[in-house]
Amino acid sequence: MHTRWYRQLWVFLRSREGFGALLIAAFSAIALGIVPNMLQKLWDSGWFYLAVFLVATVTVVLGWILHRERGVGVIIQMFPLLPTETGRLEALLAASAKNHSSTLFIRPTLLQPAGELLAPPARADLVANLIDARVAEQTRNGREGNVTIYPLAQMRDGFLLGQRLADDRAKTFTVMHVSATRNTVLPSVKLATHLASPLTPEQQALLNNCLKQPDAPVAPIAHPNCPPEHRHRLAFIVRLSRGDTMTADARHVAETGHVRLPSGRHTGYVFAPEHPETPTTPCGAHFIVEASTDYLPETQQTFESIATHLYRTWTVARDEWQAESGSPDIETRLFLMAPLPITMALGWLMSRTNADVAHHDFRIARQSTPISEAP
């Protein structure tokens, strides 16, 4: 049913853009109307008219601020949510509607054409193509093509999406984050070239407060029992949030290739989606970066500093292991427990390298029962 024009006008005037347009129209007329009177009263008492003129001019600017183009918000939901997780999605939708002129909502169903789930690289490529199409539409209409991303994704999907977005170096992407403590949406990482720059003293000070031994020399720990044909693999283990057994579990998988511990408990790392018990190939060495606190300070400077530190540390570790192992091409396997924006930034930085993220399924890890506790 077609909405009547006066209802459409009322809806527009109630919006942020409509209110801005109304302020511009009304106070532009006031400001311009004051000018002749100011000229007439210039030799009398023009201060009052000048004050009114300045207030009207400032209000016109305010109206422009409310009416201006504010870029595109992209909500990316790459997995079905549990009932307890819907609040995060609602917070992202509300933040995008508040901060941007338009919102692109990429639902999980878009990533399952004909009911079949796409492979992780194909999912990341499809999401990036959808973003590119929306930005192209915005710029054709003379609007700003700024993109702010509100992601809900698993670690591997986030890393792959960051890698794919690195192909669009001409664009700057701001990644938002749902606070774990305040339940608010905060800017966390800007995917741009500054992430690859050396750390500043201020950034180094932040790392000293939230990471374990950030200044320690990078020395990959070799696995003596690794078969020679697998020594070119390097495990990068990153734990930036609370996980009591994450580091030990990742080390076990990296050293042995087995997804279950000797106790029988499943680590949750899955390398064949249809067969979660399938082992993987071991790595020749590993190195670890861990947080010193359960929760990182949720600021953009902290997240970007950590992303830069991870990238630079990994670069040193890769080069050292390449020299020690004698392998010309080092393959990095990442075991990540980190805020999603940092994971995306790391993927963006490592876009042209031989690296992948080990998928971790929390459900399998929680439901797993050690052999010693089995009935």
Side-chain angles (χ1 to χ4, degrees), residues 39-354:
L39 295 176
Q40 293 176 6
K41 297 290 183 177
L42 185 60
W43 302 107
D44 188 5
S45 177
W47 293 109
F48 172 76
Y49 292 94
L50 178 61
V52 175
F53 172 73
L54 292 176
V55 170
T57 302
V58 170
T59 308
V60 169
V61 175
L62 175 62
W64 175 83
I65 292 174
L66 293 174
H67 187 66
R68 79 190 192 284
E69 176 63 34
R70 292 170 292 136
V72 181
V74 182
I75 310 291
I76 304 173
Q77 181 191 348
M78 299 189 72
F79 60 87
L81 295 176
L82 298 174
T84 56
E85 297 175 318
T86 56
R88 296 170 61 196
L89 177 60
E90 292 172 356
L92 295 180
L93 288 168
S96 181
K98 177 182 178 181
N99 297 325
H100 307 290
S101 301
S102 65
T103 295
L104 171 63
F105 184 14
I106 301 176
R107 298 175 174 83
T109 52
L110 293 175
L111 309 179
Q112 300 181 27
E116 295 185 6
L117 184 63
L118 296 174
R123 288 202 298 269
D125 192 54
L126 176 57
V127 169
N129 287 335
L130 291 172
I131 295 174
D132 290 342
R134 174 54 67 89
V135 172
E137 179 186 358
Q138 290 281 110
T139 53
R140 279 197 304 269
N141 293 329
R143 300 176 179 177
E144 291 184 5
N146 297 333
V147 179
T148 303
I149 297 175
Y150 300 79
L152 287 173
Q154 295 173 330
M155 291 293 103
R156 191 183 187 199
D157 284 327
F159 182 82
L160 292 173
L161 181 58
Q163 284 187 316
R164 174 57 180 79
L165 292 176
D167 294 339
D168 300 327
R169 293 278 174 164
K171 303 184 185 71
T172 298
F173 300 95
T174 300
V175 183
M176 306 296 281
H177 171 67
V178 180
S179 170
T181 57
R182 289 177 282 174
N183 198 31
T184 55
V185 181
L186 307 170
S188 55
V189 167
K190 182 170 288 187
L191 302 181
T193 54
H194 70 283
L195 292 176
S197 300
L199 291 167
T200 65
E202 292 78 12
Q203 290 178 312
Q204 192 63 53
L206 287 173
L207 298 179
N208 293 336
N209 291 329
C210 57
L211 296 182
K212 293 182 179 179
Q213 300 179 332
D215 296 326
V218 178
I221 300 174
H223 303 159
N225 298 325
C226 179
E229 63 268 23
H230 300 313
R231 280 177 56 81
H232 67 286
R233 292 191 177 89
L234 176 65
F236 183 12
I237 301 171
V238 179
R239 184 195 62 78
L240 298 179
S241 54
R242 184 175 182 179
D244 296 335
T245 65
M246 183 272 172
T247 303
D249 290 353
R251 284 188 59 177
H252 172 78
V253 176
E255 291 178 358
T256 67
H258 300 310
V259 295
R260 283 188 179 271
L261 300 172
S263 67
R265 180 175 63 82
H266 201 296
T267 60
Y269 289 103
V270 176
F271 297 88
E274 295 80 13
H275 305 284
E277 300 292 338
T278 301
T280 185
T281 52
C283 299
H286 75 270
F287 72 104
I288 300 171
V289 175
E290 289 189 279
S292 58
T293 59
D294 288 343
Y295 296 99
L296 296 174
E298 294 178 311
T299 66
Q300 183 170 338
Q301 188 176 18
T302 299
F303 279 30
E304 291 185 351
S305 300
I306 291 176
T308 299
H309 172 72
L310 292 176
Y311 174 66
R312 300 180 72 84
T313 302
W314 165 79
T315 301
V316 174
R318 179 199 58 186
D319 293 345
E320 290 197 7
W321 185 241
Q322 184 175 19
E324 182 175 341
S325 66
S327 301
D329 184 21
I330 298 300
E331 176 185 333
T332 304
R333 179 171 291 163
L334 294 104
F335 297 83
L336 293 176
M337 180 177 284
L340 185 58
I342 294 178
T343 301
M344 292 181 63
L346 194 57
W348 192 89
L349 288 164
M350 300 171 65
S351 61
R352 293 172 177 85
T353 62
N354 189 1

